[in-house]
Amino acid sequence: MTLILLLSIFQLARFACGAPLAPALYIFGDSLSDDGNNNFLPTVAKANFLPYGEIFPAGATGRFTNGRTVADFIAEFLKLSYPPPSMSVKASSSITGVNYASGACGILPKTGSVFGKCLNLDEQLHKFKIRAKTEVPRQLKSKNETIKYLASSIFLFSIGSNDYLGNYLDPQHFDSSKRYSPQQFAQLLVYKLSHAFKRVYKLGGRKFITFELGPLGCIPAIAKTIPHKGKCMEETNQMISLFNKNLAVAIQKLTVSLPGSQFVYGRINALSYDLITNPSKYGLKDTSNTCCDALNNGTSTCIRGKISCPNPEQFYFFDAFHPTELPYSLIASHCINDRSICSPTLKEFVKL
């Protein structure tokens, strides 16, 4: 295990003891955060089998990685249990948060539909609305307590990658690339995501964490299938940068237009790109190939039951779409401590 990985996990573990720093963590997103929702849905986008979850204490829970996700590390930092998937029986009784994230889905309703059923952002928000309006008030003593609970809870959003991978960049199944320029598509996604923040705000949420999209042009599913020069498909990365720039502007505007709202904006694209293009800085050795034995010559998800690489801490990618636990731990650690990545840092955010 590399020194950087050990230091990162040690930093995160330091926060694990003591009273919770927020009453609850609610997670909206895709397979980067899904902790088992897709297990309950008729979709081929599942990760409830080995080698997924190889180093996670509970094994293959439905997380699309070998261990913990950024959302898991943030839950640990907040001294909260991992929010249960919204589709599980535990969700209705959980007062410390729920995870609505669903692999293959995105901001747009049709994204991911070629793989089967998943929870798109509208459906995730609808499920939270029911919870905020009925389940939470039943669990708390008064209306004022419910208002305080929702205003103090943290709402994490990490979504949008699949709107490119499973929509805009898939002209065989979707016509979005014919209807929108890259800039127009980015604006559409950010407009709808901004509306999602407003919906949660209207329901009582005030504290938000949202992350940029990572450098999708570097993932094996793109970099190994589209001819290009260099390590990554930079045309794709430039497309993603349009989304990130629009999102940054939108967050600034929302902070002003939603009185009392507080946002953490996670600038994780550059950090992820540096991890991939300068691996030796972080103790990584392979940032091009998958750690697990993946379908379609290493350009898809892990083959069920196959043993993964013996040294996952040296790999950035677990399968062709998702990182190993190491990049997730580094992103979370930087977001907790480094204002150049998360502004404010999570350590600052919980004190606001």
Side-chain angles (χ1 to χ4, degrees):
M1 189 174 287
T2 66
L3 178 61
I4 285 180
L5 175 58
L6 285 169
L7 290 173
S8 176
I9 292 175
F10 173 74
Q11 278 185 308
L12 294 164
R14 284 190 302 127
F15 303 110
C17 302
L21 301 179
L25 174 65
Y26 288 94
I27 300 163
F28 303 85
D30 51 32
S31 56
L32 296 175
S33 305
D34 189 350
D35 64 354
N37 280 306
N38 278 24
N39 296 352
F40 302 90
L41 298 170
T43 174
V44 297
K46 293 182 188 289
N48 57 345
F49 55 86
L50 292 173
Y52 292 111
E54 276 187 334
I55 63 172
F56 192 76
T61 59
R63 289 165 170 83
F64 288 77
T65 182
N66 61 325
R68 291 165 287 182
T69 66
V70 170
D72 291 327
F73 284 116
I74 289 177
E76 290 178 4
F77 164 71
L78 295 173
K79 303 179 177 67
L80 295 171
S81 57
Y82 302 138
S86 66
M87 300 293 293
S88 72
V89 293
K90 294 180 180 179
S92 61
S93 61
S94 172
I95 196 63
T96 57
V98 173
N99 188 324
Y100 299 98
S102 181
C105 256
I107 297 169
L108 301 180
K110 291 184 179 179
T111 292
S113 57
V114 295
F115 301 106
K117 174 61 183 170
C118 57
L119 300 175
N120 63 53
L121 185 56
D122 281 342
E123 291 170 317
Q124 294 179 34
L125 292 166
H126 179 69
K127 289 173 74 68
F128 172 70
K129 180 180 179 179
I130 294 171
R131 176 164 181 75
K133 292 277 190 180
T134 59
E135 294 170 0
V136 170
R138 275 203 305 264
Q139 291 173 292
L140 300 177
K141 296 176 182 177
S142 66
K143 183 177 180 180
N144 285 340
E145 195 171 334
T146 298
I147 292 171
K148 183 178 179 182
Y149 166 87
L150 290 170
S152 302
S153 294
I154 291 177
F155 299 87
L156 187 156
F157 285 76
S158 178
I159 194 166
S161 295
N162 291 324
D163 294 292
Y164 287 93
L165 297 173
N167 192 321
Y168 196 76
L169 297 175
D170 182 11
Q172 182 180 349
H173 298 102
F174 300 93
D175 65 353
S176 51
S177 60
K178 297 173 185 175
R179 294 165 52 208
Y180 302 101
S181 69
Q183 174 65 2
Q184 289 171 332
F185 191 67
Q187 289 172 334
L188 172 67
L189 294 180
V190 171
Y191 171 80
K192 290 187 174 294
L193 184 53
S194 297
H195 185 62
F197 296 135
K198 292 176 183 177
R199 287 173 66 179
V200 173
Y201 178 87
K202 189 175 181 181
L203 291 167
R206 294 295 182 268
K207 304 187 79 169
F208 300 88
I209 301 171
T210 186
F211 289 104
E212 290 180 334
L213 299 187
L216 297 184
C218 301
I219 67 173
I222 296 288
K224 284 180 169 290
T225 57
I226 303 174
H228 63 281
K229 294 181 180 180
K231 188 145 195 167
C232 304
M233 179 66 180
E234 297 301 346
E235 275 186 33
T236 303
N237 285 342
Q238 289 165 12
M239 199 178 294
I240 298 306
S241 73
L242 296 174
F243 175 93
N244 292 337
K245 288 174 183 176
N246 277 275
L247 181 59
V249 172
I251 295 304
Q252 290 178 335
K253 291 180 178 178
L254 287 168
T255 303
V256 175
S257 64
L258 302 179
S261 67
Q262 299 166 337
F263 283 85
V264 170
Y265 181 63
R267 303 178 188 86
I268 56 94
N269 185 282
L271 174 60
S272 300
Y273 188 79
D274 197 45
L275 279 160
I276 292 167
T277 56
N278 296 293
S280 60
K281 283 172 57 177
Y282 304 93
L284 293 168
K285 290 189 176 179
D286 192 326
T287 58
S288 299
N289 301 298
T290 63
C291 172
C292 79
D293 193 354
L295 295 162
N296 299 331
N297 296 317
T299 63
S300 188
T301 52
C302 297
I303 297 173
R304 183 184 290 265
K306 283 289 190 87
I307 297 172
S308 69
C309 61
N311 51 346
E313 71 278 359
Q314 296 178 4
F315 280 72
Y316 184 94
F317 294 104
F318 192 65
D319 65 15
F321 301 94
H322 308 97
T324 61
E325 184 182 83
L326 172 59
Y328 284 138
S329 70
L330 290 172
I331 289 168
S333 180
H334 277 279
C335 194
I336 291 167
N337 298 288
D338 185 353
R339 293 194 98 250
S340 70
I341 303 301
C342 279
S343 180
T345 65
L346 293 189
K347 282 203 291 191
E348 296 167 334
F349 188 56
V350 295
K351 296 175 183 177
L352 295 176

